[in-house]
Amino acid sequence: MKKRSLIIALSISLSIGLAVVIPELRDRQNAVGSLSQLSPKLKRTFTETKEFSPLPQPQNGDWLTAHKEPGQTYQQFLRSRPNQPGANGRKFIYLQPLGDFPKDAPSMATLREYMECYFYPMPVKISQTLKVTPGKKIAMRENSGVTQWNCIHLLNALQKRVPHDAYIVMGVTMTDLYPDDDWNFVFGMARIKKRVGVFSFARYGRDPALVLKRAMKVISHETGHAFGIKHCVHYHCLMNGSNSMEETDRAPLHFCPVCLRKIHWGLKFDPVERYQKLADFLTAEQMEDESQWYKKRIEVISGK
């Protein structure tokens, strides 16, 4: 596949059986970086505890069996010079609906509420729905009876419409996506430096609760890329690459200490406040297992 200035986050590809070395504790600590200059509260935030799981051995067909990725430490993240949230007035995340949405589609208002918790304290706006007209600028194809839009073309179009106050514009669609003719489909895609991403609800199933959980994982993952975070190879983490919906379902809803520190660099959130907002949201959505994870982390960070 040709090189592009983007991160393909979730896709279908063939496993070629790459050997995967699972990072040891020292490797994970090195990836987080030195915590010596941080406050006690932040030290507890980025220190590995039992709530965080090491990277599991990939199953046959999983992302890391097909893609050799070196990962990205916190120091490598800083050296990449990621976009600074709030710089030059770019302080909003925009959700950009694309195309038609049926009545039973996931609620944009719920997604906005979730995103404001996950990327606290950055506010989120919902843009007016854009009509997508397939043609030369937005290619469309039929793949096994499924209508698909070319997500590269969608990113190109979104890139031209980034508002002056947008840190990132995340396109959201009910139409299936593909990046080029060599790929079956992708769930989502983002461009790290260009402030745009897109993801599709097309393959999330019919159960509303499961659709919402999958959407939360994918949009957080793609937005994480837009914050400059590459795929995580240090822990079992929301920023792990994924080759299937099954692999996405196995992924946790939280960032590991390495990726959390990267997000904190830009957002400067209070970790207890962020975790409490997420816990409250997840409880309201009846995702109690995920809510309990955040509540346990609040206890650790608070020194209880």
Side-chain angles (χ1 to χ4, degrees):
M1 189 177 66
K2 296 179 181 179
K3 283 189 175 181
R4 299 187 179 93
S5 58
L6 52 83
I7 290 291
I8 296 178
L10 298 162
S11 62
I12 291 297
S13 61
L14 296 177
S15 170
I16 56 177
L18 294 176
V20 179
V21 178
I22 304 300
E24 297 181 353
L25 176 59
R26 179 177 296 180
D27 300 319
R28 300 194 296 269
Q29 291 173 334
N30 288 338
V32 174
S34 174
L35 306 179
S36 61
Q37 301 301 312
L38 299 182
S39 68
K41 188 177 187 179
L42 289 180
K43 286 180 181 178
R44 291 191 291 269
T45 299
F46 305 127
T47 296
E48 179 179 328
T49 58
K50 64 181 180 180
E51 289 77 37
F52 296 105
S53 300
L55 183 73
Q57 187 65 46
Q59 301 179 18
N60 184 41
D62 281 356
W63 180 266
L64 286 177
T65 67
H67 302 268
K68 186 176 178 60
E69 293 188 317
Q72 180 194 49
T73 67
Y74 176 66
Q75 289 301 321
Q76 288 170 336
F77 165 79
L78 293 180
R79 289 197 293 270
S80 73
R81 301 180 68 183
N83 292 332
Q84 176 71 57
N88 300 315
R90 294 188 176 276
K91 58 183 180 180
F92 292 97
I93 294 172
Y94 278 79
L95 293 179
Q96 176 61 72
L98 300 169
D100 296 329
F101 284 75
K103 292 183 178 179
D104 60 351
S107 163
M108 288 295 110
T110 301
L111 272 184
R112 175 177 61 187
E113 183 182 357
Y114 166 73
M115 291 287 281
E116 288 189 330
C117 296
Y118 209 92
F119 295 97
Y120 173 79
M122 183 171 277
V124 180
K125 293 183 177 181
I126 302 175
S127 298
Q128 185 175 355
T129 300
L130 286 179
K131 182 179 180 180
V132 176
T133 304
K136 291 183 178 180
K137 293 185 178 181
I138 308 292
M140 182 183 76
R141 74 176 185 183
E142 295 293 322
N143 182 15
S144 300
V146 177
T147 298
Q148 297 179 309
W149 289 338
N150 186 300
C151 55
I152 301 293
H153 296 174
L154 288 175
L155 290 174
N156 291 342
L158 288 174
Q159 205 169 298
K160 297 176 182 178
R161 301 176 61 92
V162 177
H164 65 87
D165 59 353
Y167 180 75
I168 170 70
V169 176
M170 289 300 301
V172 184
T173 180
M174 295 296 294
T175 303
D176 206 28
L177 303 173
Y178 75 102
D180 62 41
D181 291 338
D182 294 332
W183 288 75
N184 187 11
F185 69 89
V186 291
F187 295 111
M189 184 174 286
R191 286 176 173 160
I192 288 179
K193 293 292 187 179
K194 300 300 182 179
R195 306 181 185 276
V196 291
V198 63
F199 82 102
S200 167
F201 286 117
R203 295 177 181 261
Y204 290 179
R206 305 291 296 181
D207 178 74
L210 183 58
V211 170
L212 177 59
K213 183 180 292 187
R214 287 171 169 173
M216 287 158 52
K217 286 184 177 181
V218 175
I219 196 170
S220 303
H221 180 109
E222 296 299 341
T223 306
H225 283 320
F227 275 82
I229 303 175
K230 295 185 178 181
H231 281 153
C232 180
V233 301
H234 309 293
Y235 289 85
H236 201 199
C237 174
L238 181 69
M239 293 307 298
N240 295 150
S242 178
N243 240 12
S244 66
M245 201 76 258
E246 291 77 11
E247 190 173 6
T248 298
D249 287 340
R250 296 197 305 268
L253 191 59
H254 57 262
F255 282 164
C256 73
V258 183
C259 297
L260 185 65
R261 192 175 185 191
K262 296 171 187 176
I263 286 291
H264 184 267
W265 170 85
L267 295 177
K268 303 296 190 294
F269 51 77
D270 179 288
V272 170
E273 290 180 3
R274 176 179 179 268
Y275 278 166
Q276 188 62 61
K277 288 179 178 295
L278 281 163
D280 292 343
F281 173 87
L282 292 165
T283 294
E285 294 298 326
Q286 300 182 11
M287 300 181 188
E288 198 56 41
D289 288 346
E290 289 80 3
S291 179
Q292 285 299 320
W293 188 93
Y294 286 106
K295 291 175 181 177
K296 290 177 182 177
R297 287 298 299 159
I298 290 171
E299 293 179 0
V300 172
I301 295 170
S302 301
K304 296 181 180 179

